[in-house]
Amino acid sequence: MKIGKATIPTSAICTSDDEHIVVRGHDLCADLIGRMSFSDYFWLLVTGQRPSAMASRVLDATLVAITEHGLVPSAQAARMTLAAAPDALQGAVAAGILGCGSVILGASETAGRLFLKIDALAREQGLSLTDAATQVVSDLRASKQAIPGYGHPQHKARDPRVARLFAVAAEAGSRGHFVALAEAVEQVLPAITGRDLRLNVSAAIPAVLLDVGFPAEALRGVPILARTAGLIGHLTEELSNPIGFALSYQATREQRYTGELPAGVTIKHAE
Amino acid sequence: MKIGKATIPTSAICTSDDEHIVVRGHDLCADLIGRMSFSDYFWLLVTGQRPSAMASRVLDATLVAITEHGLVPSAQAARMTLAAAPDALQGAVAAGILGCGSVILGASETAGRLFLKIDALAREQGLSLTDAATQVVSDLRASKQAIPGYGHPQHKARDPRVARLFAVAAEAGSRGHFVALAEAVEQVLPAITGRDLRLNVSAAIPAVLLDVGFPAEALRGVPILARTAGLIGHLTEELSNPIGFALSYQATREQRYTGELPAGVTIKHAE
Amino acid sequence: MKIGKATIPTSAICTSDDEHIVVRGHDLCADLIGRMSFSDYFWLLVTGQRPSAMASRVLDATLVAITEHGLVPSAQAARMTLAAAPDALQGAVAAGILGCGSVILGASETAGRLFLKIDALAREQGLSLTDAATQVVSDLRASKQAIPGYGHPQHKARDPRVARLFAVAAEAGSRGHFVALAEAVEQVLPAITGRDLRLNVSAAIPAVLLDVGFPAEALRGVPILARTAGLIGHLTEELSNPIGFALSYQATREQRYTGELPAGVTIKHAE
Amino acid sequence: MKIGKATIPTSAICTSDDEHIVVRGHDLCADLIGRMSFSDYFWLLVTGQRPSAMASRVLDATLVAITEHGLVPSAQAARMTLAAAPDALQGAVAAGILGCGSVILGASETAGRLFLKIDALAREQGLSLTDAATQVVSDLRASKQAIPGYGHPQHKARDPRVARLFAVAAEAGSRGHFVALAEAVEQVLPAITGRDLRLNVSAAIPAVLLDVGFPAEALRGVPILARTAGLIGHLTEELSNPIGFALSYQATREQRYTGELPAGVTIKHAE
């Protein structure tokens, strides 16, 4: 069935024959394997260009920052899935990645789009970053939308990864424009929302990446790639230290059934 | 419900509080972000130890080797999925990863286990690698099991990534024991199977990784992590150059329905 | 880590002990197994109530209508995934389900929400369904949003499943309010959009289901459940008639690489 | 790339044009929608034939039996995933389905294959079911393989669904051959394993389904389809009664970090 205008599929990423594999214009074997780090290669695949030394350093820092944060929900889902289906590592990784959604890790992209909107407004109307941030954040607030990338359930003071990412970006020579913009948002938030929401890692990541030229469309890919590495770490540990079912048991130890019981049936809760 | 012996969940990977995130015994912000590449961090997460310079170089080479090979089935599945569900990038990545199974990318692990078995046999019985390989491969053949990691649908001569990975490993100072073992298998294969199956990338990866101490249990994670990066490249391209539905259309242009038709119904195949 | 207000998990769906399993207030073994069809049980699980005979008939009709439509993208993705990972049927099903997104099967829910919005407007402002439909559709059009559930890539005249679903609902005694509303939208569409977009199955499903009291929040579950059955049909066929890799081969037979080639490299396209 | 022998894709399931959709030889609109239950349609899709009244009743009973059992690991994984990615219901369903693996729900298939093996042995060698069961189970035990479908973490006495499924099958007129075989295995297990493992639902399902002609290759599809309905029930409840993050919080309340701490860092465990 033809959905949309049927076309010949085209792609600028890769071609190959018996002897050669060409990726983004380079010979994979002669030019890339052993000559480029995996994260630089990720940049090349996504953008078509090799990263600058500055971009390379910043991308690595963001990936390392977001890879691992303990037994978060996606790590739990992955470990429970491996416990139930130990033959299919790929399924357990997939189950974990499916938790990289709008609420948890997807904020890197939505925060990035928020920053681009504020930046565009500032440039179009000749506003300071603070004034542009005030206007955009107030609009979001008026329509009862969340402000992505600010506030953290555990790190009430600023998420410690934020300062470190900003420092790495500065050391690497980044201009810091979107970092300043992210901090402008942080400064105007308390007055607008009445809550002292501090920058978290999901806002710091797009700030430093946009500053080094990473494309906004691919921002959501950064936490997904990073978390995949973290999930593989957890799943490798699960093989020798299985806790998937223990997590599931603990999760429901205090659960309460709020429905009805059939006449004459009682449920013993010793479990 | 208690499945297995209910326990307190334990993990040696990460702990944190308001101010600190500790990963594998290191302070994430002070010691890791900006001081370690993403692939070295992956090694640390999986093994608990920082990689040597040799291991770091070899791991990067294997990841780069396996990340991207064009519009392979998993890239197609991912692009079709994004076309149908464009709001959920994580779902399209997951759909692609689910194709990293025993037939396609999982061979890295099964080939690795084959090499370990041959190695153990050689050591236990004082056999040469060639003799041990002959024995184990003959047993596999007798029980009609596939030999993972040899032969490739496109690269009939040796997959060009193989020589490059072996060269990088040698340059990095690797001992080359499992490389020699993988080549011993390649040499005995024609006589045993009657087919000239050459080493492919899925056998080269475990050979060079086992030589630098990467754990066998985590071998399947290497192609999964790598392919995640490749999928994100494809999905980012899909956003601006949508071909998901075109692929699906092309795939079925010549399909044939082999079932029956109800009396009186004819199907027009113009589509 | 506490995300949101930590609470004791509660659920009204199921409780159990050694001897009994209680679902939605009924004893699973004594009252449900062998006494209720699977689709009625689905209704009970989602709503907490047994369906009326009318609701039961309509739900079955919608599920049968949307289960199977040949080698659509999600069936292709599932079959390619099983070909690559034959040991993990659940992974291939999951890959197919991930294609039930906003563009393809999710329209059942968005069309349902559109109908509820038109219905609310008609009641609040005392408008005819046609006037309310005109207003809401014009607003959607003005903000360049798609009209979910109208038009079909293959069934240019009205999707044949639409008339059949409407007939089954009428036979079952449904009031037909949302059916009338869905047809009102169909009538006003050409004047507003300039295109003769006819009702497709994704609008007919919510129309007949809302008429019999199915909850709007669960509408997206109907195509997902149905398509799962269809995918299992395809995957069972794939085991004896493997076409996953053939689909993938056909899909890219005419693909074009639009990137560059390294100096001195030519790619032979015989494949 | 051609993987395997490239072929024209064929399928006997469905064909269609503008006006007709033909499924398994029937006109979907004229013959199936409104004339067949969803579970009968599932049987038709998988087998190519309409089910007998007996088969229809037994299939419905097995689906209802396995759809729902409270906050099991797959329901937890799905609810955590929806909490993190509320826009992608299909992703949360997929995450739950990925937990239908060899340990948890996949036992329906492996138990079915065990029964077929015992049945074949009994017929080939003229053994009683008890003698054939003893031989096959002893072999499994000797090679340290699990006996799928016997024993349950909660239902230590026989899982109550077993007797109910057997009763429904008998009422429906099933011959009860594989039921007798499943009970023969149950009887020989204590002497062979030293443990009083009773039939659970995952052995009862293949027993009653094989007796009515359901194909062994599709057995794993039954719990997957059923559980999809159960997951949609849970996810619909999650939308109005969100507990995904509460489950995750409870799961780790008592977790212990067993790794090291960097010099000078202490972690406060108030959380």
Side-chain angles (χ1 to χ4, degrees):
Chain A
M1 192 188 316
K2 201 187 290 189
I3 306 176
K5 292 170 197 159
T7 55
I8 302 300
T10 62
S11 172
I13 296 178
C14 180
T15 188
S16 61
D17 63 10
D18 251 41
E19 286 168 48
H20 293 95
I21 302 167
V22 172
V23 179
R24 289 294 195 187
H26 305 279
D27 183 306
L28 174 62
C29 295
D31 301 333
L32 303 176
I33 297 174
R35 303 198 192 286
M36 188 175 237
S37 77
F38 176 54
S39 26
D40 283 2
Y41 189 49
F42 174 60
W43 183 290
L44 172 66
L45 284 169
V46 166
T47 68
Q49 307 294 327
R50 291 172 187 268
S52 67
M54 177 179 72
S56 170
R57 185 138 189 252
V58 168
L59 176 60
D60 258 330
T62 60
L63 288 166
V64 170
I66 197 72
T67 291
E68 173 57 40
H69 201 299
L71 289 165
V72 293
S74 60
Q76 292 186 31
R79 293 184 81 142
M80 287 181 197
T81 303
L82 193 70
D87 308 323
L89 183 71
Q90 75 277 16
V93 174
I97 286 175
L98 288 166
C100 297
S102 54
V103 169
I104 296 270
L105 290 168
S108 282
E109 185 192 6
T110 41
R113 297 202 179 277
L114 172 69
F115 297 159
L116 288 169
K117 193 171 180 183
I118 293 170
D119 184 50
L121 182 74
R123 281 187 288 109
E124 282 160 21
Q125 306 199 354
L127 299 178
S128 72
L129 292 181
T130 302
D131 289 350
T134 300
Q135 191 170 318
V136 171
V137 171
S138 300
D139 287 355
L140 273 183
R141 186 74 182 167
S143 59
K144 297 191 178 170
Q145 291 185 269
I147 317 295
Y150 293 82
H152 191 279
Q154 180 180 24
H155 305 292
K156 303 294 181 190
R158 234 200 207 182
D159 184 328
R161 292 167 290 186
V162 173
R164 180 64 189 140
L165 282 174
F166 288 177
V168 171
E171 285 165 29
S174 169
R175 60 183 177 144
H177 171 72
F178 283 101
V179 165
L181 198 160
E183 293 189 316
V185 172
E186 189 182 44
Q187 282 154 16
V188 305
L189 269 176
I192 300 171
T193 66
R195 296 174 60 199
D196 188 20
L197 297 168
R198 315 301 300 270
L199 266 163
N200 68 36
V201 72
S202 288
I205 286 174
V208 298
L209 283 175
L210 291 172
D211 271 330
V212 296
F214 195 80
E217 309 83 65
L219 279 174
R220 209 161 18 144
V222 171
I224 289 176
L225 177 60
R227 202 45 64 100
T228 302
L231 290 167
I232 294 168
H234 276 283
L235 293 169
T236 304
E237 189 186 60
E238 179 73 16
L239 293 172
S240 58
N241 178 36
I243 61 169
F245 290 140
L247 288 166
S248 158
Y249 167 69
Q250 294 282 340
T252 52
R253 271 177 61 194
E254 305 192 22
Q255 75 169 112
R256 284 203 305 257
Y257 174 64
T258 56
E260 302 192 358
L261 289 179
V265 171
T266 54
I267 294 294
K268 289 184 293 277
H269 273 296
E271 304 217 354
Chain B
M1 192 190 314
K2 201 187 289 188
I3 306 175
K5 293 170 195 159
T7 55
I8 302 301
T10 63
S11 172
I13 296 177
C14 180
T15 188
S16 62
D17 63 10
D18 252 41
E19 287 168 49
H20 293 94
I21 301 166
V22 172
V23 178
R24 289 295 195 185
H26 305 279
D27 184 306
L28 174 63
C29 296
D31 302 332
L32 304 175
I33 297 174
R35 302 197 193 285
M36 189 176 235
S37 77
F38 176 54
S39 25
D40 283 2
Y41 190 48
F42 174 60
W43 182 291
L44 172 65
L45 283 169
V46 166
T47 67
Q49 307 295 327
R50 292 171 186 267
S52 67
M54 177 179 72
S56 170
R57 187 138 188 252
V58 168
L59 176 61
D60 258 330
T62 59
L63 287 166
V64 170
I66 198 72
T67 291
E68 173 58 39
H69 201 298
L71 289 165
V72 292
S74 60
Q76 292 186 32
R79 293 185 81 142
M80 288 182 194
T81 303
L82 193 69
D87 309 323
L89 182 70
Q90 77 276 14
V93 174
I97 286 175
L98 287 167
C100 297
S102 53
V103 170
I104 297 272
L105 290 169
S108 282
E109 185 193 6
T110 40
R113 296 200 180 279
L114 173 68
F115 297 159
L116 289 169
K117 193 171 178 182
I118 293 170
D119 183 51
L121 182 73
R123 282 188 286 108
E124 282 161 20
Q125 307 199 354
L127 300 177
S128 71
L129 292 182
T130 302
D131 289 350
T134 300
Q135 189 170 321
V136 170
V137 171
S138 299
D139 286 354
L140 274 181
R141 187 72 181 167
S143 58
K144 295 190 180 170
Q145 291 184 268
I147 317 295
Y150 293 81
H152 191 278
Q154 181 179 23
H155 306 293
K156 304 292 182 192
R158 234 199 209 182
D159 184 328
R161 292 166 291 184
V162 173
R164 181 63 188 141
L165 282 174
F166 288 177
V168 171
E171 284 166 30
S174 169
R175 59 183 177 144
H177 171 71
F178 283 101
V179 166
L181 197 159
E183 294 189 316
V185 172
E186 189 181 43
Q187 282 154 14
V188 305
L189 269 175
I192 300 171
T193 67
R195 297 174 58 199
D196 188 20
L197 298 167
R198 314 301 299 270
L199 266 164
N200 69 34
V201 72
S202 289
I205 286 175
V208 297
L209 283 175
L210 290 173
D211 271 331
V212 297
F214 195 80
E217 309 82 66
L219 279 173
R220 209 161 16 144
V222 170
I224 289 177
L225 177 61
R227 203 41 67 98
T228 302
L231 290 167
I232 294 168
H234 276 283
L235 294 169
T236 304
E237 189 186 59
E238 179 73 17
L239 294 172
S240 59
N241 176 37
I243 63 169
F245 290 140
L247 288 167
S248 157
Y249 168 69
Q250 295 282 342
T252 54
R253 271 176 62 194
E254 305 191 23
Q255 75 169 113
R256 284 202 305 258
Y257 173 65
T258 55
E260 302 190 359
L261 288 179
V265 171
T266 54
I267 294 293
K268 291 184 291 277
H269 273 295
E271 304 218 353
Chain C
M1 191 190 315
K2 201 187 291 189
I3 305 175
K5 291 169 195 159
T7 55
I8 302 301
T10 63
S11 173
I13 296 178
C14 180
T15 188
S16 61
D17 64 10
D18 251 41
E19 286 169 47
H20 293 94
I21 301 167
V22 173
V23 178
R24 289 296 195 185
H26 305 280
D27 184 306
L28 174 63
C29 295
D31 301 333
L32 304 175
I33 297 174
R35 304 198 192 284
M36 187 176 237
S37 77
F38 177 54
S39 25
D40 283 3
Y41 189 48
F42 175 59
W43 182 290
L44 172 65
L45 283 169
V46 165
T47 69
Q49 307 295 328
R50 289 172 187 269
S52 66
M54 177 179 74
S56 170
R57 183 135 191 256
V58 168
L59 176 60
D60 258 329
T62 59
L63 287 166
V64 171
I66 197 71
T67 291
E68 174 57 40
H69 201 300
L71 288 165
V72 292
S74 60
Q76 292 186 32
R79 292 184 82 143
M80 287 181 196
T81 303
L82 192 70
D87 309 323
L89 182 71
Q90 74 277 14
V93 174
I97 286 175
L98 288 167
C100 297
S102 53
V103 170
I104 298 270
L105 291 168
S108 282
E109 185 193 6
T110 41
R113 297 202 177 278
L114 173 68
F115 297 159
L116 288 169
K117 195 172 178 182
I118 293 170
D119 184 50
L121 182 73
R123 283 188 286 108
E124 281 161 19
Q125 306 198 356
L127 300 178
S128 71
L129 291 181
T130 302
D131 289 351
T134 301
Q135 189 169 320
V136 171
V137 171
S138 300
D139 286 355
L140 273 182
R141 186 74 182 167
S143 59
K144 298 190 178 170
Q145 290 185 269
I147 318 295
Y150 293 82
H152 191 277
Q154 182 180 21
H155 306 292
K156 303 293 182 191
R158 234 200 209 183
D159 184 329
R161 293 167 289 184
V162 173
R164 181 65 189 140
L165 282 175
F166 288 177
V168 171
E171 284 165 30
S174 169
R175 60 182 178 145
H177 172 72
F178 283 101
V179 166
L181 197 159
E183 294 188 318
V185 172
E186 190 181 43
Q187 282 154 15
V188 306
L189 269 176
I192 299 171
T193 67
R195 297 175 60 198
D196 187 21
L197 297 168
R198 313 302 299 271
L199 266 162
N200 68 36
V201 71
S202 288
I205 286 175
V208 299
L209 283 176
L210 291 173
D211 271 331
V212 296
F214 195 80
E217 308 82 67
L219 280 173
R220 207 157 23 139
V222 170
I224 290 176
L225 176 60
R227 203 41 68 97
T228 302
L231 291 167
I232 293 167
H234 275 284
L235 294 169
T236 303
E237 189 186 60
E238 179 73 17
L239 293 172
S240 58
N241 177 35
I243 62 169
F245 290 140
L247 289 166
S248 156
Y249 168 68
Q250 294 282 341
T252 53
R253 270 177 62 195
E254 304 193 24
Q255 75 170 112
R256 284 204 305 260
Y257 173 65
T258 55
E260 302 191 358
L261 289 178
V265 171
T266 53
I267 294 293
K268 290 184 292 276
H269 274 295
E271 304 213 355
Chain D
M1 190 188 316
K2 201 187 292 190
I3 306 176
K5 292 169 196 159
T7 56
I8 302 301
T10 63
S11 173
I13 296 178
C14 180
T15 187
S16 61
D17 64 8
D18 251 40
E19 287 168 47
H20 294 95
I21 302 166
V22 172
V23 179
R24 289 294 195 186
H26 305 279
D27 185 305
L28 174 63
C29 295
D31 302 332
L32 304 175
I33 298 175
R35 304 199 192 283
M36 188 176 236
S37 77
F38 176 54
S39 24
D40 283 2
Y41 189 49
F42 174 59
W43 183 289
L44 172 66
L45 284 168
V46 166
T47 69
Q49 308 294 327
R50 291 172 187 268
S52 67
M54 177 178 74
S56 170
R57 183 134 192 257
V58 168
L59 176 61
D60 258 330
T62 58
L63 287 166
V64 170
I66 197 72
T67 292
E68 175 57 40
H69 201 300
L71 289 165
V72 293
S74 60
Q76 293 186 33
R79 293 185 81 142
M80 288 181 195
T81 303
L82 193 69
D87 309 324
L89 182 70
Q90 75 277 15
V93 174
I97 286 174
L98 288 167
C100 297
S102 53
V103 170
I104 297 271
L105 291 168
S108 282
E109 185 193 6
T110 40
R113 297 201 179 278
L114 172 68
F115 297 160
L116 289 169
K117 194 171 178 183
I118 292 169
D119 183 50
L121 182 73
R123 282 187 288 110
E124 282 160 20
Q125 307 199 354
L127 300 178
S128 71
L129 292 182
T130 301
D131 288 351
T134 300
Q135 189 169 321
V136 171
V137 171
S138 299
D139 286 355
L140 275 182
R141 186 74 181 168
S143 59
K144 297 190 179 172
Q145 291 185 269
I147 317 295
Y150 292 82
H152 191 279
Q154 182 180 22
H155 306 292
K156 302 293 181 190
R158 235 200 208 183
D159 183 329
R161 293 167 289 186
V162 173
R164 180 65 189 140
L165 282 174
F166 288 177
V168 171
E171 284 165 30
S174 170
R175 61 182 176 145
H177 171 71
F178 283 101
V179 166
L181 197 159
E183 293 188 318
V185 173
E186 191 181 42
Q187 281 154 15
V188 305
L189 269 176
I192 300 171
T193 67
R195 296 175 60 197
D196 188 19
L197 296 169
R198 313 301 300 271
L199 266 163
N200 69 36
V201 73
S202 288
I205 286 175
V208 297
L209 284 174
L210 290 172
D211 271 331
V212 297
F214 195 80
E217 310 80 68
L219 279 173
R220 210 162 16 144
V222 171
I224 290 177
L225 177 60
R227 203 42 67 97
T228 302
L231 290 167
I232 293 168
H234 275 284
L235 294 169
T236 304
E237 188 186 59
E238 179 73 17
L239 293 172
S240 58
N241 177 36
I243 62 168
F245 290 140
L247 288 166
S248 156
Y249 169 68
Q250 293 282 341
T252 53
R253 270 177 63 194
E254 304 192 24
Q255 75 170 112
R256 285 203 304 258
Y257 173 65
T258 55
E260 301 191 359
L261 289 179
V265 170
T266 54
I267 294 294
K268 287 183 294 274
H269 273 295
E271 302 215 357

